[in-house]
Amino acid sequence: MLRTYLKIAWRNLSKHKLFSVINIVGLAIGIGCSFLISLWVRDEASFDQFLPNANRVFRLESTTTSPDGSQRQLAAVGWPVGKRLQGEYPEVEQLTYVKGWNPQLKNRGTYSTEVGLMADEHFLAVLGYELAQGNPNTALAEPFTVILSPEAEEKYFGKGKGMGQVLMVNDTLPHRVTGIFKAIPSQSHLKFSLVRSLASLHTLYPEDMAYEYASGWFDLNVANYVLLKPGVDAGAFAAKIKPFVSQRAQKVIQETGMNSTLQLRPLTDVYLESGMPTESGPVGSAQLLYLFSAISLFILLIASLNVINLSTARAIERAKEVGVKKVLGVTKVQLVGQFLLEAAVVCMLATLLGILLVVLGLPWFSVFTGKDLAYTMLLSPFSLLLLAIILFALILLTGFYPAWLLTAYQPITVLKGDFSRSSQGIFLRKVLVVGQFIVAVCLISCTGVAWQQVQSMQQQPLGFDQHRVILVDLKDVAAQGRTRLATSLRQELLTSSQVGQATACNAVPGQSGWVGQFAFGDGNQTGKGILVEHIPVDAAYTKTLHLSLRAGRDFLAGNKADEKDAFLVNETAVKTFGWSSPEQAIGKKLSVSGINGQVVGVLKNYHQHSLQETIHPIVMNLMPVYKVVALRYTGNNPVSAVSHLRAVWAKLFPGYSLNYAYLDATFEQQYRREQRLIQTFSVSAGLAIFIGCMGLFGLATFTAKQRTKEIGVRKVLGASVVNLIALLAKDFLKLVLLAIGIAIPLAWYVLHQWLQGFAYRVELSGWVFAWAGLLAIGITLLTVSMQSIRAALVNPVKSLRAE
């Protein structure tokens, strides 16, 4: 029996080659896309789940409230929080302090900066990272000790030779290697190549650290991870500690006007849900995860709907076959089994082709997602199980309904041919076509609006000139001599006619200065501090970046008074301090980051960060804490300027590799996520339209075939080709118009919600949705007309002989 069913299935595939190709290719594309996206989704969703205590570990986070009522959420807490929390709450089993650390290390004569952490002795007990060598209880207990990753050990000492060795940090501080980590999976939100004992900081700066632990409630620059005892209700504990800071730091709150609440973030949610950049690793997006998952399901669903649509349409041709078999005693179960087997053959062929598409597309998809998705992942238990689930679901989805629909009729009804006039089968096909085009129109609309938003952000005036500026990164240079060398680099660069201006500074637009600094302004009615971004610069900063003054003057190079107490502020800072105008702000006293001075100039607002954020208060002063040198080259060709830069760098920084970038390209990188969204929507919309059109073409072909005699009669009676095309296309066009009517409000709502995440956003305009609808209509007419024209041009004599 099985052999017979297989023969029948193969004969049907061979007999109806067009429908078979449409079904198999459409399903293969759907399976391939879903499988690739599922690999990415699994990788994103599995962050930190490899850690043994992942379900009991939480990160403490702060929500600060400024005197002006503005709030800011940070993945950090004040220094007193952890010690006090552990001592006062029995729910806490253990707690660890973690802070970012980027040391300069020397390897074979070349300096490089490593991504590291500083942590206390409880780091391994709380988070559960395992050691290949060393004692986890004591590895971070003493000052000037480090634990290396296997890669760092091999880089600096050779594989298996790092334990007990001495590592020189910043050319001055020897650190003893007390442990080697086991290989750390890439799915860790903490990224590091080495971990230094926090006791090192206590030894180097004992008075500062004592002050921080006692009074640094709003020095939010350290992370706390909490391991709760088994059985503790995390929600109840989170509610209990929420007012922790406001109850214990009342003196500081009264002095500064700041306030803060605590939140708990499950460790496994940190990567996807926090939405905050951290010092020690990347941040994912739960929204992007859900979006990719939905697109994956939609594409697979569209492909499945094609199969169902064509199967129910072709069921008319097989009505008599079913009727005869039922008369001959074939049971309903046997008939359902036959149709399911036929669906299984189609799905298995599509799966094989889909796997081939996955193999071919994996390298491109890895680049697109920024993930290292290896071919070995295709043979993992998860991948094989996922493939089996997809195959089983598709067989049921594409085979069960057509089988049930055919076998539900009585033999006499089927043999009379009444199934062809069944409103149930026709209604289903209409619903499926509408569903396919709802998805397609939504994706086209999303592509258009996302492109419009990114274009708007890229074309928006930034308030500075980002073109023809080269950034020289100084982070690999040892901190001790960085300021002196940065100044020398700037002076040497200006000796070339290819360099028009140069500045040494702490941050350029697109980078962060000292964010979250308290500033106290003269005349502020509240008398409380406000949060500002403090950027140390030199006197050439505004000239190099072409920042414009709104009032007052610029810094004066070589002016001792300016070096001591002069500040530049932006217009937002003027407004936030409560000063009535930029002109009134000149001469106002200002205190920030422990420095007292007065405002000498007000800058016009410019975008220090991307247009996803509003412009925050910014304060600048002449403070030699430099991390980058920016040079503006003359002319349009940077080659000569770069050659001069290389020569100067080799002279001043022997042993250090030169890292430079262009300011305009660096600033554009802030929009990579949105650009990836555009690519995602574009590819998804293209695939959805392609698969939908394949199904539409198949249905148009079938409809033309069913109406062959009607077309012949109409031609004999004088119908033109245009009349016949309109006859065949109008039913499909009605369905597409209905889909557009449903899709546009749905897409508008989704896009409106998405745009709320941008401080500067485009207005949703009707032309985007109109173009999406017109494109869907045009593609429908083109697809249907191809087959309609062919049917309309057939000789009516042949058409009338068709039956």
Side-chain angles (χ1 to χ4, degrees), residues 492-501 632-635 640-641 644:
E492 289 285 340
L493 289 172
L494 288 171
T495 61
S496 170
S497 61
Q498 301 297 322
V499 179
Q501 292 285 349
R632 180 174 294 280
Y633 58 88
T634 57
S640 298
H644 178 57

Side-chain angles (χ1 to χ4, degrees), residues 319-336:
K320 290 185 179 180
E321 173 194 343
V322 174
V324 170
K325 284 185 175 181
K326 294 188 82 171
V327 169
L328 293 175
V330 177
T331 65
K332 185 173 182 178
V333 173
Q334 290 175 315
L335 287 171
V336 170

